Every structure is written in structure tokens, then in C-alpha cells.
Amino acid sequence: MREQLLIGGKWIDGSNSDRIDVTNPANGDVITTVANGSPADVTAAVEAAAAAQVEWAKVGPRERAEVLRACWQTLIDHADELAELITLEHGKPLADAKGEVGYAAEFFRWNSEETVRIHGSMSVAPSGNNKIIVRHPPVGVVTMVTPWNFPAAMITRKLAPCLGAGNAAVIKPAGETPLTALRVADLLQGAGVPDGLINIVPTSNSGDWFDAAVDHKATRMVSFTGSTEVGRILLRRCADRVLKVAMELGGNAPLIVFDDADIEKAVEGTMTAKMRHSAETCTAANRIFVEAGIAGDYTAALGEAMAATKTGNGLEDGIECGPMINERAISSISGLVDSAVSEGATVVTGGSTLDGAGHFFEPTVLSGVSPTAAITHEEVFGPVAPVITFTDHDEMIGHANDTEMGLAAYVFTEDLAKGLATAERIEAGMVGVNRGAMSDPAAPFGGMKQSGLGREGASEGIYEFCETQYIAASW
Ligand code: NAP
Ligand code: MG
């Protein structure tokens, strides 16, 4: 296990003497402690990154691509070890953690292929007198701030294209999950990433950490994944230096089931969209709209599937839902369930916390939820499925879009034309039609409205980490 800061290719304790406890949410035990980065450590990391980036940008795309390919290989070779580490500090079931490692690694393979295809262009100005040359140099030093819900993938989804494009990174993993971040960085260094390109500085003081990163003149970009609330704070701070930003923020995904849907497939898709990774995903189905004709049967089947979900320590065999990340999460989930019930919802299954040392909540289905209930306006971030019945399609679409978020949405119907037409009317960056999972490094991930700015993955992902330079030339 790596428990120090990684700055300029060296593992150091940093200038703070206190350390950060990392706990196992399944039982509350302290797993270990990690070094606690100070603003001075952040400054040192930005400087190391700046020095390394200048050399890295001179390395040819093919050679950079081959380093990325080696990064993919090493993450795959260490998948079991990394998955256990993710489950230990995050709590998600081991099978989900393995899925996360595969997804995390794939960003390196995909971006190794994109690295040699960062295209520019040349065109002739309309006057015919000038040539317009456009190129995409690296942006420089990138600050990354990442959440705890995907301790590996939320880093690699940024880091792979960042390195591929010729940049360096200074990374703040979430305080709850620094161990995976540190071990991933360790493996990537071992795979041949030059010293100084990846700096990992956990901290217990995010605000001061971020100020030190933003105030350094070498920092050129901030790439953030986390809540919309924190995203707004970071955006305001980035304005002081007019930094380039990429923001992957919160979600409030509607999941729509039309009455011509195949109930079995719709329930299976709902379970995937709701429950993967212990129901702590930004794309999680948060509001389930079911057409009246199918609502009774669908809700009963969903209730059975949720009631049968095995909840417990993610390291144990057969567990399908692990603990929530901390006690704050549990009280937020309980509060939302209680408020839905006080607004008239019925508990079909679950509804309570589970006793014991860990932070567990029962897989829960609520029916008869009002489309305007408090629970429909907030990200539940837990195993709770609020079911809302609809009859009028336009009214339902109005409710589905009545949120400041616009990350993900899901539609289930046996009529593909209806599914696609509905997808077009939903204000979300990603819509699954008869699919409960859509994350794919080859597809553009990101949100509309207050769910974010920019896209990760696909071909556009690497350009987020590039500048655009136009050279006017005539000859
Ligand atoms: P969060 O509370 O917003 O925290 C995200 C990161 O920001 C953490 O590293 C956190 O550090 C840091 N942070 C908090 N306050 C900060 C400040 N004032 N200055 C600098 N950094 C600060 O989110 P979370 O609870 O970790 O993750 C859950 C949220 O992330 C959900 O809203 C989810 O939807 C969203 N998410 C979005 C995507 C996406 O791709 N759109 C993907 C995954 C998650 P500390 O907590 O250590 O202080
Ligand atoms: Mg923890």
C-alpha cells in the first residue's frame, strides 16, 4: 500500500505532521493513515509537474501512446489487487470494483489510440490570400479534483487523455478514498510514466489545497468530478485566473418505463441503473416514471428484485450492495425517504438503515411518489427507487426535465421509435434506451445543464486537454 504523497516522482510525507485516517465503511475500522498534503506540498507538485510537462510535450505521440498502452496493461495485470483496495476503502461489491478497474484501465487503451490522432487542420481563407493553420498543443499543468465513488476510474478518465495530449497532472483524490489513487499512480509510474507527470496529493483541507493549485501561475486547467454544489465553488475560484475548466457534476436521472415495455427487461435495466456500485453513481436512476398500465406489475417486480438484493461487506461472496460511504450519506438517504413518506409515498420494501458497525441502508422501493416531492429534486445517492406513476406523456416529459441537472436518463419501451423520440426530448447528456448501463470510454460522457461542462472519453475527450492555436500564414 502507498501511504505518502507522490510529488515529482518521489514518495514523501510532505510538510504536515498529521495524517488522514482511511476507514472501511463496512465496519468503521481505520485501514491505515495517509500523508496529509499542505498548500506548500501542492505548490511543490505544480512546480514538479510544470518542469516535467515541458519535456513530455516534446515526446512524439507514438511514444506517449505506447506509455499509455503500458499503463492499460499494468492496471489489467493488477486488477484483482486494485479491486480489493477499492472495496476496502469504498465498500462497493468486489464484482463492481473489478468492473471499475476494467473501465478505469480502458481509458488508457482508448486514449493511447487517440494520442496519435490529435488532428489539426489547414484551410484557405475565403479571400484566397491566406492559409489558416490550426493545431492543438497541450494545455500544460492540469489540476484534478476527484470524488470517492469511483476511486480509480474518476482519475483515469481524466489522466489518460491528459497525459496522451502531452500534459502533466496534480491530483487531489477524495479524502475517503486516497489508497486506490496512490496505488494506481504507483503502478502507472512503474509502467513508464516519467517522474513529475503524475502528482498525487491527498489532503484534509480541500479549500486551501485548491487555492494553492489555482493561484500557481503554472496551473492552466481544472478538471473536476463531484457534486454540482462544489463545482460551483470551484468554478468561481477558477474565474480569478480564467482557467480552462472541465466539470463532471451531479445527476438526477429520470428512468421512464412505458406500458409497452418488457417488464422483466425493464426491471433488470432498472436494477443496473439504480444499484451498480452500491447505488452511489452520478448516473443512477433517481426518479422512476412508470406508465399507469404497467405500474402495478413493474413496481411489484422491482420490489421483489430489491428485496432479494444481498447487502453487506463488499468483500464477502455474493454481496450485491455494499455500505454507504459514511454516516452523513445514511442520514441524507433516511431524511429523503422519510420526507417522501410524509408526502404520501408508500414503502414497498426496505426503508430503513441496517444495524451494525457499517453504514448500511436497505434496498428500498417507494411507490405513489409525487412528481414534485422533495426526493425528486435531490440526488439520493443510495439504494432507494422512488416510483412515480404517469398517464400523460407530455406531462411526464415536463416533470422528467424539471430539474437543474441533465446528466443521464433511461427509457424502456419495446417500440424503438418511441424510445428514440423520447430520448431526443430529454435534457440529458446521456440517454440509455433499453439499457441500464452506458459508460463506455469510446462514448462522450458528460452532462447538460448544471451537470457539467465538457465531455470525457470518445474522440472529444482528449481535446479537452488541448489548446487551439491558429497560425495565419501565406506563402
Ligand atoms: P464532492 O463532495 O463534490 O467532492 C468531490 C471532490 O471535491 C472531493 O475530492 C472533495 O474533497 C473535493 N472538494 C470538496 N469541497 C472542496 C472545495 N471547497 N475545494 C476543493 N475541493 C473540494 O462530491 P463527492 O461526494 O465526492 O461525490 C459525489 C458527487 O459526485 C455526486 O454529486 C455525483 O453525482 C458526482 N459525480 C459526478 C460524476 C460525473 O461524471 N458527472 C461522476 C462521479 C460522481 P474532500 O471530500 O476530500 O474534501
Ligand atoms: Mg473510507
Side-chain angles (χ1 to χ4, degrees), residues 21-25 31 88-90 175-177 325:
D21 284 349
V22 186
T23 58
N24 178 345
I31 304 161
L88 196 62
E89 65 176 348
H90 173 282
E176 292 88 347
T177 56
I325 191 72

Side-chain angles (χ1 to χ4, degrees), residues 68 71-72 74-76 82 86 99-112 144-147 150-164 169 171 173 180-181 183-185 187-188 198 200 223 225 441 456-457 461-462 465:
L68 264 62
C71 290
W72 166 72
T74 194
L75 295 180
I76 293 297
L82 285 170
I86 290 172
E100 179 182 343
V101 177
Y103 178 57
E106 193 57 33
F107 283 99
F108 279 99
R109 181 160 66 169
W110 172 262
N111 282 290
S112 76
M144 298 177 182
V145 178
T146 58
F150 287 85
M154 293 305 97
I155 290 179
T156 62
R157 197 163 79 181
K158 301 178 187 307
L159 188 56
C162 169
L163 295 176
I171 303 169
T180 305
R183 181 62 179 136
V184 164
L187 290 169
L188 302 180
I198 304 174
I200 309 263
S223 178
T225 298
E456 292 185 336
I462 204 160
F465 294 95

Side-chain angles (χ1 to χ4, degrees), residues 148-393:
W148 50 263
N149 66 340
F150 287 85
M154 293 305 97
I155 290 179
T156 62
R157 197 163 79 181
K158 301 178 187 307
L159 188 56
C162 169
L163 295 176
N167 303 288
V170 176
I171 303 169
K172 194 199 90 55
E176 292 88 347
T177 56
L179 297 174
T180 305
L182 293 168
R183 181 62 179 136
V184 164
D186 191 18
L187 290 169
L188 302 180
Q189 292 260 126
V193 176
D195 286 353
L197 294 183
I198 304 174
N199 301 276
I200 309 263
V201 186
T203 185
S204 64
N205 188 341
S206 309
D208 288 353
W209 188 107
F210 194 70
D211 283 343
V214 165
D215 287 337
H216 198 295
K217 70 180 191 322
T219 299
R220 293 292 170 79
M221 174 175 175
V222 169
S223 178
F224 172 69
T225 298
S227 61
T228 297
E229 192 189 353
V230 172
R232 286 192 199 100
I233 297 170
L234 304 197
L235 276 169
R236 281 188 204 107
R237 195 63 187 77
C238 287
D240 292 338
R241 288 198 56 247
V242 195
L243 292 179
K244 194 173 192 317
V245 292
M247 295 270 147
E248 293 288 349
L249 308 177
N252 182 4
L255 184 149
I256 299 160
V257 185
F258 285 108
D259 62 10
D260 61 4
D262 177 309
I263 291 193
E264 207 176 306
K265 280 195 251 170
V267 168
E268 197 188 320
T270 307
M271 290 300 289
T272 303
K274 178 79 244 175
M275 297 298 287
R276 282 178 327 133
H277 305 274
S278 298
E280 295 172 309
T281 69
C282 51
T283 52
N286 210 52
R287 298 170 292 151
I288 300 178
F289 293 92
V290 187
E291 197 161 7
I294 203 177
D297 290 347
Y298 167 89
T299 309
L302 181 64
E304 277 175 33
M306 289 286 265
T309 299
K310 266 185 86 180
T311 300
N313 184 332
L315 285 174
E316 285 167 20
D317 269 358
I319 294 299
E320 294 157 302
C321 184
M324 300 297 100
I325 191 72
N326 53 31
E327 205 45 48
R328 202 153 29 92
I330 291 284
S331 66
S332 154
I333 297 163
S334 296
L336 287 168
V337 169
D338 292 348
S339 86
V341 170
S342 74
E343 288 179 86
T346 303
V347 177
V348 176
T349 184
S352 310
T353 55
L354 289 170
D355 291 340
H359 315 297
F360 292 97
F361 201 89
E362 290 178 308
T364 299
V365 176
L366 302 174
S367 67
V369 176
S370 149
T372 56
I375 197 169
T376 67
H377 296 300
E378 286 194 43
E379 230 180 338
V380 182
F381 241 63
V384 178
V387 179
I388 302 155
T389 305
F390 72 88
T391 44
D392 184 282
H393 289 194

Side-chain angles (χ1 to χ4, degrees), residues 38 42 66 90 92 170 259 290 451 453:
S38 68
V42 176
E66 275 163 8
H90 173 282
K92 67 179 71 178
V170 176
D259 62 10
V290 187
S451 286
L453 297 168

Side-chain angles (χ1 to χ4, degrees), residues 1 6 80 91 103 126 146 149 266 269 279 282 333 389 440 469-470 475:
M1 243 183 245
L6 175 61
D80 289 345
Y103 178 57
T146 58
N149 66 340
C282 51
I333 297 163
T389 305
D440 186 332
Q469 185 183 46
Y470 150 51
W475 58 83

